[in-house]
Amino acid sequence: MPYFDTASAAPLHPVARQALLAALDEGWADPARLYREGRRARLLLDAAREAAAEAVGCRPDELVFTSSGTTAVHAGIAGALSGRRRVGRHLALSAVEHSSVLHSAAAHEAAGGSFTEVPVERSGAVDPAAYAGALRADTALACLQSANHEVGTEQPVAEVAALCAEAGVPLLVDAAQSLGWGPVAGRWSLLTASAHKWGGPAGVGLLAVRKGVRFAPQGPAGERESGRAPGFENLPAIVAAAASLRAVRDEAAAEAVRLRALVGRIRSVVAERVGDVEVVGDPEQRLPHLVTFSCLYVDGETLLHELDRHGFSVSSGSSCTSSTLEPSHVLKAMGVLSEGNVRVSLPMGTAEADVDRFLDVLPGVVAEVRERLGAPVSAPPSPAPAASLVVDALGRRCPIPVIELAKVIGEVPVGATVTVLADDEAARLDIPAWCEMREQEYVGEEPADRGSAYVVRRLS
């Protein structure tokens, strides 16, 4: 069964498995103790730190191991903000950061601080000039991911890091998705990552803090990991994480070329074989293994279940796959279609035959889901003299409001409007996206007794 969701968690690398088993036998003792077993454990921990620091591009004494990538993000942001509290309490971040960064920002605001979200272009990347415009005299910290976890777009970290350095603001980079493929370029100040993203065991994160960055760890002080990650080190998992990071880096150059070609094939073939689809994310400045596309008139959760039934494990940023039924904040910030969203992230070693079979299965699965939902299967009918229409889609979830709009747009004359009443948050993204894809005019959103009224003018 092809597993195409390595952006969530990569399969355990064989080197990680070997290192983990060996470290369970050799690294069980307390590395802080001076007796033989403790010294052996300390040697393993020091070697793992040196290997991880080499991969990150920092000094070993600048890097600590945490219990997860999320913990590393929270500790990094809190420590940097506290260390620079005399400068101010403002935080700058992109609108497409991982939820761990957004949660830290929300907690900072609740404690009396402030933050600015820098918008992104439709590709998902920030404009360095726009990011620089968000930096203020009281900005204590800036955050920018190296590459997006949902659409794969790489961020201009080096350019933003240079602008932050010029402004005297440290930059924290969340490198969870990219670190397995190579070091992060630029003059970043702090960096975080998570081992299970590159094929290491879950429960190991990295936090690197450059020398000279003012940093004050929060919470009760600890004696381990420079006081930045309290608690007993999970030494076997740390050893496995460092060993697998070195191993995947050795394979990355060749695999990146091969997987980039497979992802390029997915991007082009999906657009050819599946109608009414939007492939999102930057087509060039992207991670080599990840592609995301959204299908009109499709319930994303149903689509993922159907693909799973056909033997493919994929993920989604669609509102229909989240427990809250809220659209993905990444897709929302990009202004792209959110319904029927599929994220394919290929693990190293993915067979070309598995990708070909996925591309053979996908069009039929999408067509089946659309038929089940009563989606239109052909172009809208010719213009007919009719008054403007109102479509009541209140209480109906994605993608039904868009399907109902598509069904009736041909019933109004060119220049007339269709107003869709909807209370599903996804409609705020998907109706404008449908208009762009179908070359109709999105007039705007108006208040309604319930939900919102989305007005569309027929242009053709």
Side-chain angles (χ1 to χ4, degrees):
M1 179 172 176
Y3 176 78
F4 288 172
D5 191 25
T6 190
S8 292
L12 192 67
H13 195 281
V15 169
R17 185 182 300 276
Q18 295 168 5
L20 180 64
L21 292 176
L24 285 171
D25 291 331
E26 298 294 328
W28 51 267
D30 186 347
R33 301 308 171 198
L34 299 180
Y35 41 71
R36 183 196 307 86
E37 294 85 355
R39 295 197 305 272
R40 185 185 302 130
R42 169 57 65 179
L43 287 174
L44 289 173
L45 180 58
D46 290 345
R49 197 184 314 278
E50 289 177 5
E54 181 182 4
V56 168
C58 67
R59 293 169 34 164
D61 60 353
E62 294 175 331
L63 185 144
V64 299
F65 295 104
T66 68
S67 59
S68 68
T70 294
T71 300
V73 166
H74 291 169
I77 292 177
L81 287 172
S82 178
R84 286 174 48 82
R85 59 188 177 276
R86 292 184 179 179
V87 172
R89 304 198 64 192
H90 178 250
L91 172 67
L93 62 151
S94 84
V96 294
E97 294 298 312
H98 187 267
S99 59
S100 59
V101 176
L102 301 184
H103 292 159
S104 285
H108 176 60
E109 184 179 50
S114 63
F115 69 90
T116 298
E117 284 191 4
V118 182
V120 296
E121 300 169 347
R122 194 170 179 85
S123 67
V126 298
D127 176 3
Y131 201 103
L135 303 178
R136 310 184 327 205
D138 63 338
T139 301
L141 178 67
C143 298
L144 181 64
Q145 59 192 189
S146 56
N148 188 258
H149 50 291
E150 289 192 26
V151 301
T153 297
E154 294 178 329
Q155 298 289 356
V157 173
E159 294 92 329
V160 171
L163 293 168
C164 287
E166 185 178 341
V169 177
L171 176 67
L172 182 148
V173 176
D174 170 16
Q177 288 297 333
S178 73
L179 192 61
W181 298 103
V184 177
R187 298 163 59 190
W188 51 265
S189 302
L190 303 95
L191 182 142
T192 63
S194 185
H196 73 277
K197 302 293 188 181
W198 67 67
V204 178
L206 305 180
L207 169 60
V209 182
R210 297 280 198 195
K211 292 295 182 183
V213 175
R214 297 187 67 85
F215 191 90
Q218 298 302 286
E223 294 78 24
R224 300 174 187 272
E225 295 301 298
S226 304
R228 295 173 182 173
F232 196 93
E233 297 95 342
N234 185 350
L235 186 53
I238 288 172
V239 169
S244 58
L245 180 55
R246 174 175 286 177
V248 298
R249 280 289 189 82
D250 290 341
E251 305 163 1
E255 273 296 277
V257 173
R258 197 179 69 85
L259 293 182
R260 186 174 290 276
L262 290 179
V263 165
R265 175 166 168 72
I266 295 173
R267 292 180 69 93
S268 60
V269 172
V270 166
E272 293 169 2
R273 297 184 186 176
V274 182
D276 295 319
V277 67
E278 182 177 14
V279 183
V280 301
D282 195 294
E284 300 296 333
Q285 299 300 315
R286 58 176 172 83
L287 293 170
H289 68 300
L290 196 156
V291 56
T292 300
F293 54 89
S294 300
C295 307
L296 270 176
Y297 318 133
V298 168
D299 173 352
E301 186 175 10
T302 301
L303 179 57
L304 264 58
H305 283 316
E306 289 301 313
L307 288 170
D308 179 59
R309 199 165 59 85
H310 283 80
F312 295 97
S313 301
V314 298
S315 186
S316 174
S318 168
S319 61
C320 296
T321 63
S322 74
S323 59
T324 61
L325 292 175
E326 291 291 322
S328 153
H329 73 276
V330 172
L331 302 178
K332 184 176 182 179
M334 294 168 62
V336 298
L337 183 68
S338 73
E339 67 186 44
N341 180 262
V342 175
R343 181 185 68 181
V344 175
S345 48
L346 307 177
M348 291 185 174
T350 296
E352 184 176 352
D354 287 338
V355 172
D356 288 340
R357 189 166 73 84
F358 174 77
L359 293 172
D360 289 338
V361 166
L362 179 68
V365 171
V366 173
E368 180 183 336
V369 174
R370 284 173 172 167
E371 182 180 8
R372 195 181 307 168
L373 292 171
V377 295
S378 60
S382 301
S388 297
L389 294 176
V390 174
V391 174
D392 187 351
L394 293 168
R396 310 185 74 181
R397 296 295 183 185
C398 69
I400 299 302
V402 181
I403 290 175
E404 295 302 316
L405 168 62
K407 285 180 178 179
V408 304
I409 191 69
E411 299 178 13
V412 300
V414 172
T417 62
V418 174
T419 300
V420 182
L421 303 177
D423 51 8
D424 180 10
E425 181 68 20
R428 184 168 286 113
L429 297 178
D430 295 342
I431 290 176
W434 180 90
C435 291
E436 181 165 335
M437 295 174 70
R438 307 302 282 184
E439 297 183 342
Q440 307 296 340
E441 179 187 354
Y442 177 62
V443 177
E445 178 182 348
E446 299 177 353
D449 291 339
R450 284 181 54 204
S452 296
Y454 303 94
V455 183
V456 175
R457 178 174 287 110
R458 182 179 177 186
L459 298 182
S460 61

